[in-house]
Amino acid sequence: MSPGTKIESNRDAEVDVTFDAVVIGAGFAGLYMLHRLRGLGLSTRVYEAGGGVGGTWYWNRYPGARCDIASMQYSYSFSEELDQEWNWSEKYSPQPEILDYANHVADRFDLRPDIRFDTRVTAATFDEDAKRWTVETDQGDRVTAQFCVMAVGCLSAANLPPFTDMEKFEGPIYHTGEWPHEGVDFGGLRVGVIGTGSSAIQSIPVIARQAAALVVFQRTPNYTVPAWNEKLDPEYVRTVKAGYPELRAKMRGRPTGFYFEFNAQPALEATPEERERQYEEAWARGGLPFLGAYGDLLFEKEANDTIAEFGRKKIRAIVNDPATAELLCPDDIFGCKRLCVDTGYFETYNLPHVSLVDISTKPIERFTTQGIVADGTEYPVDVVVCATGFAAMTGSFDNIRITGRNGLALTEKWRAGPRTYLGLSSQGFPNLFMITGPGSPSVLASMIQAIEQHVDWMADCMAHMRDVGAQTIEPLIAYEDDWVEHVNEVSKVSLRSTCSSWYVGANVPGRPRVFMPYIGGFPIYVNKCNEVMTNGFEGFVLDGTRNSDAAPRVRLTEKWRVPVDMDVISPAAIAAKRVPIV
Ligand code: N01
């Protein structure tokens, strides 16, 4: 079956059917959760809004879409056979290959029969008497389950700003996160791209190669580092595969959940000449590890100024027109927003048919039938691409009516920002699990690593609940409050909390400003999760427990424990501000 093929249509709605678990989403989180639940013998239904598996990689089919984590690390680690049989072709995988991988996993582990595609969950409601969740979909399904698992993704609710008179525009308007499956032929067309985040920076060079004219509307310039993408050498692939378990262990010891060489020394203790050499070497390696040039770059503004100036120097060296180069130079913290990784982005502005429009002080005024008006000038375009990002972390939760105990709506509880215990669940919503939920490392770690660790913890938790006869698990409010406070406190250590990024919800008007992911580092977080489990689910209430003496079975969770003698980033290192977090 080719990726994205629709396999479900005209099915009968499932009404009054009961499952042990319902999983919402069939991206990498939902697929692995289903696999684990099956292993526990739990009956499971997965509902997926898309026509196929893959989540992010199913929807984000825009030209140039590719991963910014090295291919050999951006994959599941749960199956040694899967590791050995799958072959990545490039240093950074293109979207179609990652989608192929998701489809391969779905087929290899025979996951499709339990997934209902083209089905969007509309509501999940906790029934206190039955201690079960009722889940409803836009296809008329109404099923109940003991567990409801949110596998909805962190960057999956598209943000399409309501530009004035948008509906009057006569050409097509696309969002990068909801790209048409048949692709878009820009040949001979005048294209307008709104936004200069990761999606824009990846797609602009590719669109420019096809379009007759390209106008980029930029609200905030972004730092980006070259990917230096290349075909993978088969010999390198063989070497990595021979030592995959060791590589996976090294990845788990890193704050980001992926492995790269870094220099923990402070930039401010190096001479300007040493720094220049170090930055040049890191630039030559490229990608997100560029931020590993020094350990204090995201902690000390003065240190960050040095790498920011290096970044601007590169832009000025690449872009021929000085005025355009200046517009492209960010003046904020380097790496404060998610660092972008590109192939030929700044070079694109040297092409005669590409232009940049600064909308930083005067936003887009309106659309017309044939173009976009900014600062009184109409820019004629045939097609508009909105690379305007996502309502991150909580957007996909907001899109489902989730109601917990006492009729409490999750949107209401999270009105001032998400509140969770360990990013795993939220008080008042028993048995509702959140894979890579707000308050966990999630988007600050390599996503597949973060997903697997959460799923393994949840599967062990459910196995334990079965062992002891518990009907529900729910965090205690005091532990949840402490965790939320800790997540906030840790975020203040990093310069990342200071700018208006999607990490803090600032990219979408009206959202509360809260630093949502946990920035304390993946291994510290993992060890905390393990400790909570081995301490008998400390901070959680297990209701209905019959056999409270049974020790938690930490089979899967144990895999994630980071040995103390490893290259672990300790809390002391974070306190000393010597940790490259990318
Ligand atoms: O979204 P973004 P994205 N008028 O929010 C602009 C991951 N990802 O889809 O900066 C005009 O970063 C907005 O301007 P500003 C990755 O984690 C990974 O690009 O808010 N402009 C910004 O320029 C990434 O960080 C990969 O001032 C408006 C842009 O739109 C995350 O997804 C690839 C506007 C949105 O940028 C999101 O990236 C792609 C308005 N009203 C994405 N509203 C890789 O793995 C927004 N903008 C490589």
Side-chain angles (χ1 to χ4, degrees):
M1 180 175 301
S2 65
T5 304
K6 299 198 172 198
I7 66 164
E8 283 285 327
S9 61
N10 301 327
R11 65 176 176 82
D12 291 332
E14 298 172 316
V15 181
D16 293 334
V17 184
T18 62
F19 296 99
D20 291 319
V22 163
V23 177
I24 306 176
F28 282 105
L31 289 178
Y32 184 50
M33 191 78 240
L34 171 59
H35 178 63
R36 282 300 186 209
L37 289 169
R38 277 215 194 134
L40 292 177
L42 299 188
S43 64
T44 305
R45 169 65 71 239
V46 180
Y47 290 117
E48 165 56 54
V53 300
T56 286
W57 301 103
Y58 173 89
W59 296 103
N60 285 266
R61 296 164 187 246
Y62 61 82
R66 74 175 62 244
C67 193
D68 57 6
I69 306 285
S71 306
M72 296 304 291
Q73 299 191 40
Y74 191 77
S75 55
Y76 289 121
S77 67
F78 70 84
S79 163
E80 181 68 12
E81 295 78 22
L82 179 62
D83 265 353
Q84 294 303 325
E85 74 198 14
W86 185 261
N87 287 310
W88 298 108
S89 63
E90 298 179 47
K91 178 179 167 189
Y92 293 111
S93 300
Q95 172 270 334
E97 199 165 303
I98 304 174
L99 188 56
D100 281 351
Y101 175 73
N103 276 281
H104 172 75
V105 170
D107 291 334
R108 190 189 195 287
F109 297 97
D110 192 27
L111 299 175
R112 294 182 202 276
D114 291 327
I115 308 173
R116 294 291 171 265
F117 292 99
D118 297 313
T119 304
R120 189 172 284 280
V121 170
T122 52
T125 312
F126 186 66
D127 177 338
E128 279 188 68
D129 295 330
K131 298 194 189 313
R132 294 178 72 78
W133 284 90
T134 300
V135 177
E136 296 166 78
T137 77
D138 64 355
Q139 299 300 307
D141 306 294
R142 193 169 194 280
V143 303
T144 70
Q146 181 183 6
F147 300 107
C148 181
V149 183
M150 304 296 291
V152 290
C154 295
L155 292 159
S156 45
N159 169 44
L160 189 63
F163 295 110
T164 304
D165 292 342
M166 217 170 172
E167 69 291 347
K168 292 187 181 155
F169 183 65
E170 287 174 355
I173 299 174
Y174 303 107
H175 188 283
T176 46
E178 294 174 344
W179 203 255
H181 288 199
E182 61 279 14
V184 179
D185 180 2
F186 292 105
L189 298 178
R190 297 165 304 174
V191 184
V193 174
I194 304 174
T196 48
S198 295
S199 303
I201 280 172
Q202 287 189 327
S203 57
I204 282 169
V206 185
I207 295 173
R209 284 204 287 275
Q210 298 172 19
L214 173 60
V215 189
V216 177
F217 296 87
Q218 173 185 274
R219 189 163 71 177
T220 317
N222 240 320
Y223 296 102
T224 172
V225 177
W228 309 125
N229 187 42
E230 59 191 4
K231 291 273 175 222
L232 281 176
D233 174 5
E235 190 47 43
Y236 167 77
V237 172
R238 264 193 297 280
T239 309
V240 172
K241 284 189 175 186
Y244 241 142
E246 293 76 26
L247 174 62
R248 301 287 191 196
K250 276 162 47 176
M251 289 162 63
R252 287 178 203 130
R254 287 298 162 88
T256 51
F258 69 99
Y259 184 76
F260 59 93
E261 298 289 335
F262 71 86
N263 170 25
Q265 296 307 306
L268 293 177
E269 284 177 16
T271 64
E273 295 72 28
E274 285 166 346
R275 276 199 299 265
E276 188 70 7
R277 198 167 51 246
Q278 178 75 356
Y279 289 145
E280 284 292 356
E281 283 172 18
W283 187 266
R285 289 193 294 274
L288 298 177
F290 181 62
L291 264 173
Y294 287 106
D296 54 352
L297 294 172
L298 279 172
F299 298 103
E300 306 288 354
K301 170 76 170 62
E302 223 185 316
N304 194 279
D305 287 345
T306 65
I307 195 169
E309 193 46 40
F310 181 87
R312 286 188 287 267
K313 194 185 77 178
K314 286 290 180 192
I315 298 170
R316 292 177 185 126
I318 297 170
V319 179
N320 297 336
D321 173 47
T324 306
E326 284 317 302
L327 277 182
L328 288 167
C329 281
D331 62 3
D332 54 359
I333 310 282
F334 189 100
C336 201
K337 290 182 170 181
R338 169 79 170 201
L339 184 61
C340 301
V341 177
D342 75 283
T343 298
Y345 175 65
F346 293 122
E347 290 82 348
T348 302
Y349 292 95
N350 293 333
L351 298 173
H353 65 299
V354 176
S355 53
L356 183 67
V357 176
D358 174 24
I359 53 166
S360 58
T361 51
K362 294 184 179 160
I364 286 174
E365 276 168 35
R366 60 194 165 88
F367 279 44
T368 64
T369 54
Q370 319 258 334
I372 294 175
V373 179
D375 200 10
T377 303
E378 180 178 3
Y379 297 88
V381 291
D382 304 305
V383 185
V384 174
V385 174
C386 290
T388 43
F390 303 90
M393 308 287 299
T394 55
S396 293
F397 287 82
D398 295 344
N399 289 340
I400 300 171
R401 206 170 59 251
I402 301 172
T403 313
R405 279 195 292 105
N406 302 318
L408 178 65
L410 190 68
T411 44
E412 191 52 41
K413 176 170 177 184
W414 287 7
R415 189 164 293 280
R419 302 192 72 80
T420 69
Y421 181 38
L422 297 168
L424 291 165
S425 63
S426 191
Q427 192 263 347
F429 298 83
N431 290 357
L432 184 80
F433 288 106
M434 303 165 180
I435 303 176
T436 63
S440 72
S442 56
V443 291
L444 296 178
S446 178
M447 278 307 286
I448 298 186
Q449 287 285 301
I451 284 167
E452 271 192 285
Q453 183 262 338
H454 261 193
V455 170
D456 284 344
W457 194 96
M458 289 170 192
D460 275 1
C461 173
M462 291 177 200
H464 175 72
M465 288 176 70
R466 212 168 40 176
D467 288 349
V468 300
Q471 284 180 293
T472 60
I473 182 167
E474 183 184 354
L476 286 161
I477 193 67
Y479 281 78
E480 180 174 298
D481 288 348
D482 283 353
W483 182 253
V484 171
E485 193 184 325
H486 174 62
V487 171
N488 287 334
E489 278 308 304
V490 174
S491 77
K492 289 181 198 152
V493 177
S494 164
L495 293 171
R496 275 251 168 91
S497 61
T498 61
C499 33
S500 296
S501 64
W502 57 257
Y503 293 128
V504 298
N507 62 324
V508 179
R511 303 194 93 206
R513 188 183 170 109
V514 177
F515 195 86
M516 291 182 280
Y518 177 61
I519 204 167
F522 187 66
I524 290 170
Y525 172 82
V526 166
N527 285 350
K528 169 76 181 169
C529 289
N530 285 28
E531 191 185 295
V532 164
M533 185 175 284
T534 47
N535 289 345
F537 295 92
E538 188 178 6
F540 288 98
V541 175
L542 276 76
D543 188 41
T545 303
R546 288 193 302 272
N547 174 15
S548 54
D549 292 337
R553 295 191 290 175
V554 290
R555 286 171 319 186
L556 310 175
T557 299
E558 188 56 39
K559 158 182 149 183
W560 295 95
R561 185 182 301 283
V562 183
V564 282
D565 58 347
M566 262 195 62
D567 189 10
V568 178
I569 302 298
S570 66
I574 290 189
K577 303 182 175 182
R578 296 285 178 273
V579 188
I581 295 173
V582 300

